[in-house]
Amino acid sequence: MRWVAESDRPPGLSLGFALPGQARRPVLLLVLLALANTPALGAQWGGELRFCIRSEPRSFHPALADSDAAETIRYLTGGVLVRVNRGNQQLEPELATSWKIENGGRSIVFQLRPGVFFSDGTPFSAEDVVYTMNVLLDPALHSATGDTFQAGGGAIQTMQRGKYQVAVVFPEPVAGAARLFDQVAILSHNSPLKERAALGAFRIAEHKPGSFILLARNPNYWKTDGARRLPYLDTVRLEVQQNRELELLRFRRGEVDLISSLGPDQFQQLAAESGSAVKDAGPTLESEMLWFNLNPSAPIEAYRKSWFGSRNFRLAVSHAIRRDDLCRVVYHGHAQPGIGPFSPANRFWFNRSLNPPSFDLEQARSLLAADGFRLAGQAGAQALHDRDGHLVEFSLITNAGNPAREHIAAMLQQDLAAIGIRLNIVTLDFPSLIERIGKSSQYESCLLGQVNVDLDPNGQLNVWLSSSATHQWNPNQAKPATPWEAEIDRLMRLQSSLLDENRRKPLFDRVQQIAWDEAPMLYLLNRNALVAAARRLRNVEPSVLRPNILWNAERLWISAK
């Protein structure tokens, strides 16, 4: 799981599938919606696909992808051993032609595809997979992707078994091990280009900081259409554009070809205009969420830390929020009230005993009173104070340039005012926001979007494990700060070691219940997938899973008509 600047769409990828020999679990049925006219009998080669990204990637290193922009580039340029088809949610071979589970689920062995070359002509072999895993699992790298492999306490070993066979050995059984590799872009051990050597459909050709990133077709890409190597497109231009209104204007002018994450207002506008290809592809696994900074080393006053650390305070805030209004007013009905780490769209793993937290001002006030909070001031203008007389006022950071999220923040401000809390909204550019929540911890509360990169709970290990760098409310804990975090650690590690989903399900149900009870993160809503694509862009099959339009980028093509 990761944090995302866009508020309207995913991974994000959330996947449900079975390893070879296992029964396939019930999965979210994917809605395939063609946005363009029926394609011509033959695809057209060449042309440039253009779209906008919200922010500059902090790094082009695939193992360090930590934003939507970075993950998009990784998806387009990175070659993976296996890939989940976003159209049918089936696990498919890519750089690995086959794989098998050994040693009671403790090992996975990949048979690699021979005759494959990186974009610069360097041969691909098992040596590259071993090198990639060693880099990914280096604790000094702090890779969110690497964290998803770290369920157990022991070391993971990657061993070469010949030029085209490699085994990954875990310290204990790992459920759904193969799916972890959908996010692992293989690096070259021998190329002078290092991580810039690509095995995906495209390679990075040019980068003008703050302006654009140009991807060019990989001349050595292993997939073909007949005798000709894919992709159909010559180039993909990703233009850095934080302002969503300018992005919409450019889409209307035909200067960009797609918007993979439409805001709800934009969707309504485009839907009312003739000639605009827009679709609501259905409910996603992504959510808008709020959390408080519980990091003990954060530069926050001690009395505010005590508020945020109180379960009663967090639940009181949750009960003061009108989630139904957020869905109706901000998203025009294209969203559902949030409940927990997974939405009901995840049919197997969602804990169906849970419901959205109720809007209940009396309950909120009762919880606050139990902690010694009281209202003071004249009727109609009363403000909440803590037991020591401090005014209850704190800031909420969120990313600028996202009207839907800014609208949510404004409505939260109004909701909390009803229980006497003063909420100050601070909008930041996305890189600055990530720096605050990921490094300096200079914030009090945060409103951001969550992208689930897997239907399986193991995809959220990097959030729920207290030792993780993306355990957002209090990251990198040497040991769990609270008993309930210790219990979540235990449950997440235990479920990840079991191969039987029916044994894992009650364990993750308990994790969801603890998250609901303790409210370290307040889940506000789950949004629908709202997308747009130009009519000249063909082979578009939008998915509710990220990357929702670009998942089949090697087969997208531009019509000259």
Side-chain angles (χ1 to χ4, degrees):
M1 198 212 79
R2 64 172 173 78
W3 313 110
V4 66
E6 292 78 9
S7 67
D8 328 296
R9 266 288 292 146
L13 167 65
S14 297
L15 312 172
F17 52 82
L19 294 173
Q22 292 181 318
R24 183 173 178 269
R25 72 176 65 110
V27 297
L28 173 67
L29 296 179
L30 194 63
V31 182
L32 299 181
L33 299 167
L35 291 182
N37 297 330
T38 302
L41 291 177
Q44 298 176 19
W45 296 79
E48 180 172 89
L49 175 67
R50 298 162 297 181
F51 63 93
C52 295
I53 54 177
R54 299 280 175 266
S55 61
E56 189 91 21
R58 291 198 297 174
S59 172
F60 289 116
H61 196 302
L64 295 177
D66 62 356
S67 66
D68 183 65
E71 287 196 358
T72 297
I73 293 168
R74 181 177 67 183
Y75 193 93
L76 294 173
T77 62
V80 294
L81 300 179
V82 293
R83 178 72 83 195
V84 174
N85 183 308
R86 271 61 166 177
N88 59 28
Q89 292 196 354
Q90 297 300 301
L91 188 62
E92 297 177 345
E94 289 271 320
L95 297 173
T97 58
S98 63
W99 59 95
K100 60 182 178 179
I101 304 300
E102 295 183 345
N103 195 23
R106 289 178 172 84
S107 303
I108 182 168
V109 180
F110 293 100
Q111 187 65 41
L112 305 183
R113 192 176 299 277
V116 175
F117 297 87
F118 285 86
S119 54
D120 66 343
T122 304
F124 161 70
S125 72
E127 181 182 23
D128 301 306
V129 179
V130 174
Y131 171 71
T132 299
M133 293 303 295
N134 289 340
V135 170
L136 193 70
L137 299 174
D138 182 352
L141 190 66
H142 300 295
S143 167
T145 305
D147 283 346
T148 63
F149 286 83
Q150 303 286 8
I156 298 171
Q157 296 180 316
T158 309
M159 297 176 291
Q160 186 172 342
R161 294 185 178 178
K163 187 175 182 179
Y164 294 116
Q165 191 177 89
V166 66
V168 181
V169 182
F170 299 90
E172 56 191 42
V174 174
R179 65 171 175 77
L180 296 173
F181 293 87
D182 177 271
Q183 303 291 317
V184 179
I186 302 301
L187 309 173
S188 174
H189 182 254
N190 298 310
S191 171
L193 295 180
K194 303 295 183 182
E195 66 268 15
R196 291 290 189 98
L199 285 170
F202 300 92
R203 60 181 177 84
I204 298 174
E206 186 179 356
H207 174 214
K208 185 176 180 181
S211 181
F212 68 87
I213 300 157
L214 182 67
L215 308 182
R217 68 190 319 273
N218 176 359
N220 297 317
Y221 189 51
W222 62 273
K223 292 184 183 180
T224 62
D225 180 358
R228 194 167 178 180
R229 291 185 185 273
L230 292 170
Y232 294 125
L233 296 166
D234 283 339
T235 55
V236 177
R237 181 178 292 267
L238 298 78
E239 302 193 5
V240 181
Q241 178 55 260
Q242 187 176 15
N243 189 302
R244 299 175 70 88
E245 293 305 316
L246 289 178
E247 178 187 35
L248 180 63
L249 178 62
R250 298 191 64 193
F251 179 80
R252 286 186 171 118
R253 290 175 173 173
E255 297 171 3
V256 295
D257 298 303
L258 62 89
I259 302 177
S260 60
S261 179
L262 277 170
D265 292 336
Q266 294 176 320
F267 182 86
Q268 294 293 100
Q269 294 171 27
L270 288 178
E273 298 173 5
S274 61
S276 295
V278 295
K279 288 292 180 182
D280 180 342
T284 73
L285 300 170
E286 297 190 15
S287 62
E288 289 296 303
M289 57 194 300
L290 178 155
W291 73 89
F292 298 99
N293 187 350
L294 305 185
N295 187 341
S297 63
I300 301 173
E301 294 89 344
Y303 62 87
R304 284 196 171 98
K305 288 181 181 178
S306 71
W307 305 343
F308 304 155
S310 166
R311 172 180 178 270
N312 282 349
F313 182 85
R314 298 192 300 269
L315 287 174
V317 170
S318 184
H319 282 300
I321 296 171
R322 301 173 186 261
R323 288 170 171 81
D324 286 335
D325 282 358
L326 294 180
C327 297
R328 178 180 57 84
V329 176
V330 180
Y331 280 86
H332 307 293
H334 298 287
Q336 296 78 39
I339 300 173
F342 283 137
S343 75
N346 191 333
R347 297 179 179 182
F348 183 78
W349 291 106
F350 173 66
N351 184 344
R352 298 194 177 277
S353 70
L354 301 177
N355 294 302
S358 61
F359 169 67
D360 190 336
L361 290 181
E362 289 305 312
Q363 177 68 5
R365 291 171 182 139
S366 176
L367 288 164
L368 291 169
D371 273 11
F373 291 93
R374 58 182 177 79
L375 289 170
Q378 297 180 349
Q382 291 184 315
L384 191 69
H385 293 74
D386 67 14
R387 65 173 72 248
D388 296 319
H390 298 111
L391 177 69
V392 181
E393 179 179 18
F394 59 88
S395 62
L396 174 75
I397 63 170
T398 193
N399 60 294
N402 190 314
R405 191 163 291 145
E406 292 173 1
H407 196 173
I408 290 173
M411 291 183 68
L412 293 177
Q413 190 178 53
Q414 294 177 354
D415 287 345
L416 297 192
I419 54 173
I421 293 177
R422 295 183 182 177
L423 182 66
N424 301 315
I425 300 168
V426 179
T427 57
L428 303 169
D429 63 82
F430 195 59
S432 297
L433 184 145
I434 292 297
E435 192 278 333
R436 290 201 187 192
I437 66 175
K439 290 187 177 180
S440 70
S441 201
Q442 292 182 331
Y443 75 101
E444 294 174 340
S445 67
C446 181
L447 170 65
L448 206 55
Q450 170 186 290
V451 174
N452 284 315
V453 295
D454 203 321
L455 280 173
D456 191 284
N458 283 352
Q460 293 199 6
L461 282 169
N462 63 332
V463 169
W464 292 111
L465 293 182
S466 60
S467 59
S468 172
T470 48
H471 186 71
Q472 214 55 55
W473 62 92
N474 186 7
N476 300 314
Q477 297 178 33
K479 62 179 181 179
T482 62
W484 58 267
E485 285 174 290
E487 178 64 1
I488 287 179
D489 280 2
R490 185 188 71 82
L491 292 167
M492 288 300 292
R493 288 195 168 99
L494 179 57
Q495 66 80 29
S496 72
S497 70
L498 301 175
L499 302 182
D500 184 349
E501 289 174 348
N502 292 319
R503 294 178 63 194
R504 297 175 63 205
K505 178 69 164 65
L507 300 174
F508 191 65
D509 278 352
R510 179 61 185 148
V511 170
Q512 294 173 81
Q513 183 68 61
I514 294 173
W516 199 98
D517 292 339
E518 298 294 337
M521 294 187 283
L522 308 186
Y523 296 90
L524 305 178
L525 58 85
N526 294 100
R527 54 193 178 269
N528 290 4
L530 307 178
V531 300
R535 295 190 179 279
R536 75 181 195 129
L537 183 62
R538 305 301 179 92
N539 263 4
V540 176
E541 296 179 345
S543 164
V544 296
L545 309 179
R546 285 185 183 261
N548 47 299
I549 292 182
L550 296 167
W551 67 269
N552 62 337
E554 72 274 13
R555 297 188 181 275
L556 295 178
W557 56 277
I558 302 291
S559 172
K561 296 181 180 180

